[in-house]
Amino acid sequence: MIKKNFLVFGSMAVMGLAFMSCSKDLYSEDAVNELQDATYAANFEKRYGKIDPNQTWDFTTGETTYSPVSSGSSTRAVSSAADANFDRTEGSMTIQKEVSEFMFNKLPKGVDNSAMGKRFTMKIGENDFTIVPIFQGCASYFWELWMYVEGVGHQKIWTKGDDLKYRKAGTTGEFNKVGYGTDGMTSDGGPYEVLAPTYTYNNLPVGASMTFYLRVWTGGYSQYQKFQANPLDASNYPIEKSSVDLKMLDIQEAPVPNGLPEGYTATIIGCEDANDKDFEDLVFMVYGKPVPPTQRVEKVVEEKSKRYIMEDLGDTDDFDFNDVVFDIYYDRKLITYIYNNADDTQPSDTKTETLSNLGVVRAAGGTLNFNIKIGDKSVWAKSNVTSIKTTDMVNTQNGYNANYVLGEFDATGYNATANNVSVTVDTRGDNEGVFVIPFPKKGTAPKIVAVPVITDWMTERTKVPTTWFTSSSN
């Protein structure tokens, strides 16, 4: 991590480089680039402090993730940043005691309930559906519930403790609010009536697969808060537990909440945030007319990923790091689960195949044309997108879409250890003045930073917080 008391280059070194650059022919491209580099380094030091000579700029952890195989294009690129948005309505409802009784019967606490499970997805139908948290156990871990919808992307559904209240069934007292820590509901304290938030989703692509996962902070709410302040600190990075890796159970034919019209069906999904396998750390309901059907997983993609956020040096003190944002998915494998019978829930064997690396461009906050390179090979240029001008800023304004796909490229030859990526920028917009931005060497002012793909980028003219680039240990 970056240390608050940097020891690398002092201001005299920067001033010396600037002086040398100024003494050259300012119309020389090399001299202009040297001056720009020196000015950028001085401004970076002024905002974030001096740089430790051993500081590197790759903040990723190399975690492996799993996702279902898309039935269409690998990411289904959309034509505008707004097209990928989730359409949802929020509300609240009371969940009757029969749902609580059903859940306790199906998911007894302290018992290994994993035999009931399978890797699963849901298939989106023509009607809307609703997600409702109905039980929060007394776990010390902190988590967020997320969903992934094929062709649309990822969205957070609910955060532990938010707007969830309960009381013992048959009583008339006030509802108790669950908290962010170990406060919660217990099986011996129920059954419960639950006052719960609801999230109804509309207009998602019919036939697309949907999966769920938890982002879990094992250090609890305080670790989550540290992550929010500095998402680049690996010690506060969450782990994921999902419906495709046997960390969730779907329980069919659950009681339908009172008050819904005829024709609605429901399932409850039990989630495991630790390893005791009782799957009642969080339980949520999905209902619809009918509920989206649950399907066993036939294939998944196993992969690692990095997000590169970059300054194109249009200004040497901008530091919003959104002029180029692209993700690379690497070490990709296709895992096929082999089942002996059509009704089997557990596979008898697996088959693994290697997939090509994939690059996805998410945003372009700069007004200059740029070209992404892997090694010496150009793989994608902003000017190749005919629907925009190279001077357009794309998906970096307030309310930008983190799931947006501006373009894709073949990332063959990518080396995650070496970070062998670079970006060339047409500094005068005419392909004559080209500024080359490689992945930075350690101890130098960075123009490209590698971050986990769950890291959001800044909106226009919003500087990366100093907490990202400053150690909190000093």
Side-chain angles (χ1 to χ4, degrees):
M1 292 303 300
I2 296 183
K3 297 177 180 166
K4 187 171 287 183
N5 297 319
F6 293 109
L7 297 173
V8 112
F9 51 89
S11 359
M12 289 301 293
V14 175
M15 290 175 61
L17 180 54
F19 178 81
M20 290 171 58
S21 299
C22 291
S23 68
K24 295 182 180 181
D25 178 3
L26 290 180
Y27 292 98
S28 159
E29 198 69 42
D30 289 341
V32 171
N33 288 346
E34 285 182 22
L35 178 58
Q36 190 176 45
D37 275 345
T39 306
Y40 179 85
N43 287 335
F44 187 90
E45 179 182 345
K46 181 179 179 181
R47 176 168 174 79
Y48 298 107
K50 294 182 180 180
I51 304 172
D52 188 304
N54 296 311
Q55 177 62 50
T56 59
W57 302 102
D58 186 339
F59 296 95
T60 61
T61 58
E63 295 293 324
T64 298
T65 58
Y66 299 87
S67 59
V69 175
S70 173
S71 60
S73 164
S74 56
T75 54
R76 287 188 179 177
V78 293
S79 58
S80 74
D83 288 344
N85 279 329
F86 286 81
D87 181 5
R88 85 174 191 177
T89 304
E90 299 183 12
S92 63
M93 71 187 313
T94 301
I95 303 295
Q96 73 272 20
K97 71 171 184 176
E98 286 78 12
V99 175
S100 180
E101 290 172 334
F102 176 85
M103 187 212 78
F104 289 139
N105 180 56
K106 293 293 185 178
L107 299 173
K109 183 174 179 58
V111 176
D112 184 349
N113 297 311
S114 56
M116 301 169 57
K118 64 176 182 290
R119 295 175 175 84
F120 72 90
T121 67
M122 283 186 163
K123 184 177 181 180
I124 294 173
E126 295 182 353
N127 298 324
D128 60 19
F129 61 89
T130 299
I131 298 171
V132 190
I134 62 172
F135 182 86
Q136 177 180 304
C138 298
S140 60
Y141 292 178
F142 188 82
W143 31 254
E144 297 172 331
L145 174 63
W146 284 70
M147 67 192 302
Y148 168 75
V149 176
E150 173 194 1
V152 182
H154 300 259
Q155 187 182 66
K156 182 173 69 174
I157 302 171
W158 185 69
T159 300
K160 180 180 181 180
D162 281 357
D163 300 320
L164 182 63
K165 299 179 180 180
Y166 66 99
R167 68 183 178 193
K168 187 174 179 62
T171 65
T172 58
E174 294 291 325
F175 281 89
N176 304 300
K177 189 180 186 309
V178 297
Y180 298 144
T182 56
D183 350 33
M185 304 147 80
T186 61
S187 56
D188 56 2
Y192 299 107
E193 292 178 337
V194 181
L195 184 60
T198 63
Y199 307 95
T200 301
Y201 289 87
N202 309 275
N203 303 319
L204 290 171
V206 175
S209 65
M210 172 174 61
T211 59
F212 302 102
Y213 61 95
L214 294 181
R215 287 181 180 170
V216 180
W217 286 267
T218 58
Y221 185 60
S222 62
Q223 187 188 30
Y224 168 78
Q225 290 178 304
K226 292 175 183 177
F227 172 80
Q228 295 297 314
N230 182 3
L232 305 189
D233 186 344
S235 65
N236 296 318
Y237 193 68
I239 57 177
E240 290 189 0
K241 296 176 179 287
S242 78
S243 64
V244 297
D245 61 6
L246 295 176
K247 299 301 182 183
M248 296 186 178
L249 301 181
D250 67 304
I251 312 299
Q252 302 294 308
E253 300 178 353
V256 176
N258 289 337
L260 293 179
E262 190 167 343
Y264 278 80
T265 57
T267 188
I268 64 171
I269 296 174
C271 306
E272 182 58 55
D273 74 356
N275 296 304
D276 55 11
K277 299 182 181 180
D278 54 13
F279 290 87
E280 53 86 68
D281 299 310
L282 163 67
V283 182
F284 65 96
M285 171 179 282
V286 184
Y287 68 81
K289 189 179 180 180
V291 64
T294 298
Q295 301 176 318
R296 72 183 184 189
V297 173
E298 305 284 344
K299 297 181 178 182
V300 298
V301 174
E302 174 189 296
E303 62 193 358
K304 298 178 181 179
S305 58
K306 292 188 185 187
R307 170 163 292 166
Y308 291 93
I309 56 177
M310 199 204 82
E311 283 291 325
D312 68 4
L313 299 192
D315 291 303
T316 57
D317 61 351
D318 189 347
F319 303 134
D320 55 14
F321 281 88
N322 68 13
D323 296 326
V324 184
V325 179
F326 63 95
D327 301 339
I328 293 185
Y329 301 87
Y330 64 99
D331 287 356
R332 304 177 74 226
K333 298 178 180 65
L334 174 64
I335 301 176
T336 301
Y337 297 103
I338 300 170
Y339 299 89
N340 291 330
N341 300 296
D343 57 352
D344 283 352
T345 60
Q346 300 299 334
S348 60
D349 201 358
T350 60
K351 181 177 72 172
T352 302
E353 305 169 65
T354 300
L355 297 176
S356 300
N357 296 335
L358 172 68
V360 181
V361 185
R362 299 292 185 188
T367 59
L368 302 171
N369 186 40
F370 64 85
N371 195 312
I372 299 172
K373 300 179 71 175
I374 295 178
D376 295 328
K377 181 182 178 181
S378 297
V379 293
W380 194 87
K382 186 180 181 183
S383 58
N384 291 342
V385 182
T386 58
S387 60
I388 62 171
K389 300 175 183 178
T390 57
T391 54
D392 289 345
M393 293 185 291
V394 183
N395 203 33
T396 57
Q397 305 295 340
N398 288 334
Y400 71 77
N401 194 314
N403 301 305
Y404 178 55
V405 179
L406 178 58
E408 296 182 355
F409 57 86
D410 181 352
T412 298
Y414 172 70
N415 186 314
T417 302
N419 287 297
N420 61 334
V421 299
S422 62
V423 177
T424 60
V425 180
D426 298 341
T427 57
R428 294 201 298 268
D430 56 8
N431 293 312
E432 292 182 8
V434 176
F435 190 67
V436 180
I437 303 177
F439 193 81
K441 296 179 181 179
K442 68 179 182 180
T444 62
K447 306 177 192 74
I448 302 178
V449 178
V451 299
V453 294
I454 68 171
T455 308
D456 291 335
W457 53 94
M458 300 295 111
T459 54
E460 288 301 326
R461 298 296 171 176
T462 301
K463 298 180 189 296
V464 165
T466 55
T467 53
W468 285 27
F469 295 152
T470 305
S471 173
S472 59
S473 60
N474 292 319

